[in-house]
Amino acid sequence: MTELRERPKPFLLPEFCKGCGRCISACAKHCIEYGKEINPQTGLVPVVVDLDQCNACGLCITACPEPYGLRESPVAHDFELEDPEKLYGTRHSTAPEPVDIPPEIIPLPPSEPLVIKGNYASAIGAILAGCRHFYGYPITPSTEGAELMAKLLPLLDGVFVQAVSEVATVNHLYGTGGAGLPCMTFTSSPGFSLMLEGISYMIGAEVPGVFVNVMRGGPGLGNIAPEQSDIKLGVRGLGHGNTHAIVLVPSTPQEMLDLTILAFDLTFKYRNPVVILSDGYLGQMTGKVTLPRTMRKPGIPKWAVYGDRNHRKNLISSIYLSETDLEKHNEYLNGKYASMAVETRAESHLCADLDVLLIACNTPARAAKGAVEELRNRGVKAGLFRPITLWPFPVGQLLPIAKRAKRIVVVEASAGQLEDEVRIALSRTEVRDLAPIEHVRRMGGVLPQQDDIVGKVKRPYAANKAAARRPEVHA
Amino acid sequence: MSSVFYDRFERHSNAEGLKAHATHYCPGCGHGLAHKYLAEAIEELGIQDRVVAVSPVGCSVFLYYYFDVGNTQAAHGRAPAVALGHKMANPDSVVVSYQGDGDLASIGLAEIVSAAQMGIPLTVIFVNNAIYGMTGGQMAPTSLMGQKTATSPHGRAVMAGQPMKMAELISGLDGPVYVERVALFDAKNRNRAKKAIKKALQIQAEGRGLAFVEVLAECPTHLKMNPEEAEAWVREKMLPVFPLGVKKDSVPEPWFKPQAPSFDPEKVMQLVGGSSDHTERHCTTFPTHLDLHDVSLKLAGSGGDGAQTAAMLIAHAGINEGFDATHIPSYGPESRGGTSYADVHVAKEEVHNPAAPKPHIVIAFNSPSLVKFGPTVRPGGTILYDSSVVKNPGKFLEGVKVYGVPMTEIAVDLGKAMVKNIVALGALQAATGLFPKETFLAAIRKALKEKCAMIPLNEQAFAWGVKAVETLSS
Ligand code: SF4
Ligand code: SF4
Ligand code: SF4
């Protein structure tokens, strides 16, 4: 029976006891009873322990749900009963302060240009940006991206997971992004809708990840032809809460590659997801793509929950229970969104001297560019402004051009979602004497064609206005 | 007291007062015990640095207050998906998905079932107390028949279905290697629970597979009982529905040892198709006789006609010559049988609009395609069609050059109907002079780099296409 004596008896600080009594029935020796006195510090009634009969079986300890409730008494010598700090000494977490492991830039040999689809270009951009983790759910017209990743990543000892749904996909990204590694998905509109919940969590918890949404026709199942009707989701609808993310809108296969690489930079720079809004047409479009001369090997940022000693201190969470803490967090996030203003990007084509300003992004920007050329050939001084970031909107670049324009025509494959962004951005500048905004809109998978645009511009503004008096859904 | 618990719970209301050392759980809550056994197991296995704990939504949402490990808080039901993301990022980590019954057995069913079936090593601790705790005592997927809850005030009835038996469901899948249901209501079962949790962690830590432990726990608060009565309730009411024991134990040898991802530049370049092989150029100028800046083509046929391949070869040829080029296929359901068409542009500097609503050149492999796109060709343009299948080409705009080439016939004579699209390219070359012959042939040879044996046949097909147009023109 000597070992029995070596086994420590239980010990309880009354203020850590919730008085649940689970220890009472655990003790065969009836050493523990319900107490009768309310503990003044907790307002609870702790149990009373009398160890006379105790055989140190430890069963009461195993029965206590509280980490600091019943526990083994320290070696029996004198101690100050009331002060846990003195009792056990201060045992701070032994985890070290996390440090950044920086990414590496690796030179690439020169290459002839590739001739590839937009979706492939984006996937290759991700690989060159150091992404070795892909999660996704097949959805047309985005699947080529996932398929290429499925082919290449295993050959690079990377990870391709076909998720059970888009809901699971975004949460895989939350895990891998939370572990500090670059990861991405390809999806299309209905799938993007499903990811919004998780994107809100990622923004709240400051988790990086790249979302390529190859937009298709909606609402509902719609069709698989190109549309731009997720602009509102990307720019103003990233799930619940005060959310924003940089939204990039490529218009060529080359930009699918370049902007994907950029997206990985930005997602880590800001610890915030980045959304690439492409369209079904661009995803399928083959074009010339020049490769960069470097690629990235990612590091592990110091905030990551990687699952090693260096990062043990960390927490990825979007919970701020107290209202003031959550307000502070929102203020911090909003400050971060504001700091993204330096990332605005846009391209202008023949805007130095113009009368008619076309504004378009994605594939419609290419039809608009064609229209600009055609109109110039016919003596109309047209120009194109093409936002490359939709959020933040490049209004600083747009405003000086818009001021010179006599007419502004927004060209888009949606019911005015791009125009809303243009109007919001311009209205915030407080400049009031701009030309009225007209539009060329197609929907349902039909893209605005060069002829539509040229036709619109060739009609005088007054005629367009009369035509527009026909009832229209958009206010 | 396990050293895996923080010495002060600083995340618990900034550790003010007693909260520094007390959990947020109600007195007698089973979560506290599950936490304790998890912490002890992590300590005993010496894996504290490797652990990532994924907190769910539910009463245990604040698990990260207590565990001195890497912590992630997940959306409701998504913990297994988040856990998988962590595990894939660092295969050496030991990832715990800790979930309650609403989280795992209701909103997160798809996530847990798919993660379990995948079988990537993870440890799932499923705390089943037959009720929604955090939201205030509503019916859980695991509530018992007849159990009165806030949303089953008359008792769970048949219309609400039967309680979900997750341990049985999960053990029926191929993925998991160890599934056990344990309870906390007496010393013997607490001991088993502790052992099961430890085993479930060890299985993952050794790379053996996914382990799932269902813990029948007490929620005295919403059972409106004291903890002792709650223990009795679990024993008497839950056990008959949720029998305890090992449901599956087929733990294999360690197998999960992924390699670290490669960042070898040569390998990456080769895989993405980068190559410094320079293709010789044969064009001296842009085909300005067709257009000063941008030539557009429409190729159309039925699924197997090879319109897309031909379109792609034209785009490749243009880019090899240093021009810009684009190709857009019709896609989706349209590409599964029926008409398949392609828009191609070759531009001196930059393709502006990649669609070809008014092409310079139309190549039609069948009659419907010719009917649909023939009339879209612009004035002065060129139409090539397969005269083997199109018997009545119809009338086109004045000034449009129309060539009927027996593409299929030539291809069949050469022994492979498939090469009719290459015959078409030969015809295109001869009819329009878009690029020199060598430009097309170089693109064809490059495309067949991996299938060299096919090159002579394709060269012949191209030559016959050229010859056919030359014969027509002479
Ligand atoms: S150690 Fe055993 S005998 Fe002693 S109080 Fe606890 S349960 Fe009772
Ligand atoms: S089990 Fe723990 S918390 Fe509950 S009464 Fe006993 S000592 Fe107190
Ligand atoms: S409500 Fe129930 S499950 Fe939640 S903490 Fe209280 S006892 Fe535990």
Side-chain angles (χ1 to χ4, degrees):
Chain A
M1 297 298 277
T2 36
E3 323 112 72
L4 256 186
R5 239 175 287 134
E6 283 164 20
R7 284 192 4 216
K9 290 184 175 183
F11 162 78
L12 177 69
L13 287 174
E15 64 264 42
F16 299 154
C17 171
K18 288 182 173 167
C20 70
R22 293 192 77 145
C23 52
I24 297 176
S25 52
C27 179
K29 300 280 177 187
H30 309 291
C31 299
I32 312 173
E33 312 183 334
Y34 283 108
K36 294 203 173 58
E37 277 170 47
I38 296 181
N39 183 295
Q41 282 176 278
T42 60
L44 297 168
V45 184
V47 291
V48 178
V49 187
D50 175 355
L51 298 178
D52 270 4
Q53 299 295 312
C54 173
N55 66 4
C57 69
L59 293 176
C60 55
I61 297 175
T62 319
C64 176
E66 281 297 309
Y68 286 89
L70 273 171
R71 48 199 150 141
E72 296 180 355
S73 59
V75 205
H77 55 61
D78 286 346
F79 50 77
E80 181 58 62
L81 250 184
E82 302 305 316
D83 189 346
E85 298 268 322
K86 281 195 195 137
L87 177 58
Y88 290 103
T90 318
R91 183 190 52 79
H92 284 303
S93 169
T94 48
E97 263 321 300
V99 287
D100 265 324
I101 301 167
E104 277 172 55
I105 308 278
I106 300 170
L108 282 176
S111 169
E112 287 289 294
L114 306 183
V115 186
I116 48 175
K117 281 187 183 191
N119 283 338
Y120 291 147
S122 180
I124 290 173
I127 286 173
L128 298 179
C131 172
R132 294 293 180 274
H133 290 81
F134 181 93
Y135 304 95
Y137 188 85
I139 182 165
T140 310
S142 76
T143 31
E144 292 84 3
E147 286 165 9
L148 189 61
M149 286 306 226
K151 185 173 152 199
L152 298 187
L153 282 178
L155 301 175
L156 292 164
D157 294 310
V159 172
F160 173 91
V161 173
Q162 182 163 322
V164 70
S165 68
E166 283 89 352
V167 175
T169 299
V170 65
N171 285 284
H172 296 324
L173 297 182
Y174 185 89
T176 297
L181 297 190
C183 52
M184 71 156 343
T185 191
F186 280 96
T187 189
S188 180
S189 309
F192 193 62
S193 288
L194 276 175
M195 291 178 181
L196 294 175
E197 175 204 47
I199 292 178
S200 167
Y201 276 75
M202 288 175 80
I203 293 173
E206 302 198 80
V207 175
V210 172
F211 295 81
V212 180
N213 175 3
V214 185
M215 295 182 284
R216 66 184 236 187
L221 204 53
N223 63 23
I224 56 168
E227 236 190 25
Q228 291 177 295
S229 43
D230 300 346
I231 289 177
K232 67 170 196 297
L233 288 185
V235 176
R236 315 213 164 261
L238 293 174
H240 56 285
N242 296 307
T243 55
H244 273 300
I246 294 174
V247 176
L248 302 168
V249 274
S251 78
T252 61
Q254 180 72 53
E255 271 190 342
M256 286 289 274
L257 179 125
D258 296 342
L259 296 184
T260 303
I261 295 176
L262 176 67
F264 278 97
D265 282 350
L266 296 176
T267 197
F268 277 90
K269 179 172 173 188
Y270 293 102
R271 270 190 77 178
N272 200 64
V274 172
V275 177
I276 296 175
L277 292 181
S278 171
D279 63 64
Y281 209 64
L282 175 54
Q284 303 299 320
M285 185 194 305
T286 296
K288 175 173 161 181
V289 175
T290 305
L291 295 177
R293 293 299 310 276
T294 57
M295 66 170 212
R296 230 70 50 81
K297 179 181 181 187
I300 308 175
K302 62 171 178 240
W303 50 259
V305 175
Y306 186 68
D308 64 356
R309 187 168 174 71
N310 181 18
H311 299 89
R312 200 177 91 202
K313 273 210 155 114
N314 293 333
L315 166 67
I316 297 286
S317 164
S318 56
I319 301 180
Y320 293 82
L321 262 199
S322 102
E323 295 85 340
T324 44
D325 287 352
L326 184 56
E327 184 173 48
K328 258 190 231 138
H329 181 57
N330 268 276
E331 281 163 0
Y332 159 75
L333 288 179
N334 278 295
K336 185 165 87 171
Y337 305 150
S339 74
M340 294 173 191
V342 297
E343 306 299 343
T344 54
R345 284 168 170 77
E347 184 197 73
S348 54
H349 180 61
L350 302 178
C351 286
D353 150 44
L354 89 173
D355 291 331
V356 180
L357 170 61
L358 303 180
I359 302 176
C361 62
N362 297 128
T363 299
R366 304 197 64 169
K369 211 168 189 181
V372 165
E373 296 292 321
E374 189 177 333
L375 288 163
R376 288 263 166 186
N377 286 340
R378 296 178 185 206
V380 180
K381 284 200 268 175
L384 169 69
F385 181 81
R386 180 170 72 85
I388 294 172
T389 53
L390 276 188
W391 200 96
F393 194 87
V395 70
Q397 291 95 316
L398 172 62
L399 187 61
I401 300 169
K403 277 180 176 166
R404 292 198 298 272
K406 298 193 179 113
R407 291 174 68 186
I408 299 175
V409 182
V410 179
V411 178
E412 62 184 307
S414 92
Q417 297 188 17
L418 175 61
E419 187 175 327
D420 286 348
E421 291 314 312
V422 171
R423 285 182 183 274
I424 289 172
L426 288 175
S427 71
R428 289 198 177 138
T429 65
E430 308 291 339
V431 176
R432 290 285 173 267
D433 53 350
L434 297 171
I437 297 175
E438 306 162 61
H439 56 245
V440 177
R441 291 177 191 166
R442 301 301 300 265
M443 285 170 289
V446 186
L447 290 175
Q449 295 299 322
Q450 190 166 321
D451 280 358
D452 301 340
I453 304 164
V454 171
K456 174 85 179 186
V457 171
K458 276 170 55 201
R459 275 191 293 171
Y461 173 61
N464 282 325
K465 212 172 156 191
R469 267 194 215 110
R470 273 178 276 127
E472 210 178 339
V473 179
H474 180 79
Chain B
M1 215 280 306
S2 168
S3 65
V4 171
F5 286 122
Y6 289 116
D7 70 332
R8 293 173 67 78
F9 301 148
E10 290 180 1
R11 291 172 183 149
H12 192 184
S13 298
N14 300 318
E16 277 154 20
L18 295 163
K19 292 184 171 166
H21 294 96
T23 65
H24 68 288
Y25 296 113
C26 307
C29 175
H31 277 300
L33 289 172
H35 281 25
K36 197 158 162 173
Y37 305 154
L38 182 58
E40 285 167 1
I42 292 169
E43 183 179 359
E44 286 166 22
L45 292 169
I47 54 174
Q48 185 177 9
D49 285 335
R50 292 166 65 191
V51 171
V52 173
V54 184
S55 315
V57 171
C59 280
S60 46
V61 61
F62 301 122
L63 178 126
Y64 61 84
Y65 285 175
Y66 312 117
F67 284 80
D68 183 359
V69 298
N71 279 290
T72 290
Q73 200 289 317
H76 199 21
R78 319 297 175 220
V82 173
L84 194 80
H86 275 287
K87 187 70 181 178
M88 291 305 202
N90 177 9
D92 220 36
S93 56
V94 177
V95 189
V96 180
S97 180
Y98 186 106
Q99 301 178 264
D101 41 43
D103 196 82
L104 181 137
S106 183
I107 194 169
L109 267 178
E111 283 75 14
I112 186 59
V113 171
S114 62
Q117 181 61 352
M118 262 174 92
I120 301 294
L122 290 175
T123 303
V124 182
I125 310 291
F126 168 45
V127 176
N128 174 6
N129 53 22
I131 195 111
Y132 278 69
M134 192 202 210
T135 45
Q138 293 82 10
M139 187 181 70
T142 51
S143 291
L144 305 180
M145 296 314 286
Q147 189 181 336
K148 288 187 177 160
T149 71
T151 50
S152 60
H154 311 293
R156 183 174 189 161
V158 65
M159 294 295 279
Q162 305 274 326
M164 285 288 271
K165 299 187 181 86
M166 288 309 299
E168 285 77 9
L169 193 153
I170 296 297
S171 65
L173 302 172
D174 297 324
V177 298
Y178 169 62
V179 181
E180 182 167 0
R181 185 184 285 123
V182 296
L184 306 169
F185 54 76
D186 63 18
K188 195 177 78 186
N189 280 294
R190 284 192 282 266
N191 228 346
R192 283 205 187 127
K194 203 177 142 174
K195 283 207 184 105
I197 289 173
K198 184 170 172 185
K199 180 168 175 179
L201 276 174
Q202 188 166 3
I203 286 170
Q204 184 194 172
E206 294 173 357
R208 294 173 191 268
L210 183 139
F212 181 99
V213 178
E214 175 170 344
V215 183
L216 299 187
E218 298 79 11
C219 171
T221 302
H222 293 303
L223 290 174
K224 302 188 177 68
M225 294 174 185
N226 68 34
E228 207 180 331
E229 292 162 350
E231 285 178 351
W233 188 84
V234 172
R235 186 176 58 233
E236 287 156 20
K237 299 286 192 306
M238 285 186 82
L239 279 206
V241 182
F242 300 111
L244 301 181
V246 176
K247 309 286 165 179
K248 180 169 187 179
D249 191 351
S250 55
V251 180
E253 286 307 301
W255 59 271
F256 184 72
K257 295 168 193 151
Q259 297 280 307
S262 161
F263 294 91
D264 172 29
E266 308 289 331
K267 191 169 177 188
V268 167
M269 268 316 239
Q270 182 231 325
L271 286 177
V272 305
S275 143
S276 51
D277 290 354
H278 186 71
T279 317
E280 222 183 300
R281 291 187 180 170
H282 305 280
C283 287
T284 44
T285 62
F286 189 75
T288 44
H289 60 282
L290 297 173
D291 193 285
L292 288 181
H293 303 286
D294 183 328
V295 180
S296 61
L297 301 91
K298 178 83 81 178
L299 290 86
S302 53
D305 285 337
Q308 302 302 340
T309 311
M312 193 61 96
L313 284 167
I314 298 168
H316 273 266
I319 288 169
N320 285 345
E321 292 294 347
F323 307 128
D324 190 19
T326 57
H327 159 218
I328 299 194
S330 54
Y331 63 90
E334 297 168 52
S335 65
R336 275 159 224 134
T339 320
S340 160
Y341 56 90
D343 292 2
V344 179
H345 277 257
V346 180
K348 193 170 172 192
E349 264 113 37
E350 185 199 344
V351 176
H352 291 134
N353 184 3
K358 283 180 286 180
H360 294 81
I361 299 164
V362 168
I363 302 179
F365 289 96
N366 61 21
S367 212
S369 302
L370 186 61
V371 170
K372 188 164 177 191
F373 298 113
T376 65
V377 80
R378 64 179 70 186
T382 304
I383 297 174
L384 293 141
Y385 66 91
D386 186 349
S387 59
S388 323
V389 291
V390 182
K391 293 303 171 200
N392 300 305
K395 287 249 177 297
F396 298 100
L397 275 183
E398 191 84 21
V400 170
K401 296 179 274 302
V402 183
Y403 300 86
V405 177
M407 300 168 188
T408 305
E409 216 170 293
I410 294 174
V412 169
D413 286 350
L414 287 170
K416 239 190 167 72
M418 252 173 62
V419 295
K420 65 175 143 184
N421 58 347
I422 306 297
V423 177
L425 288 185
L428 167 70
Q429 196 285 326
T432 66
L434 176 64
F435 307 125
K437 292 190 187 79
E438 266 313 307
T439 300
F440 282 104
L441 289 169
I444 292 167
R445 286 185 202 115
K446 200 169 167 185
L448 292 171
K449 208 165 55 185
E450 320 275 86
K451 295 181 220 157
C452 290
M454 300 291 291
I455 292 176
L457 170 68
N458 281 272
E459 285 174 344
Q460 269 180 309
F462 184 84
W464 276 102
V466 173
K467 201 177 280 175
V469 167
E470 283 169 355
T471 323
L472 280 175
S473 311
S474 60

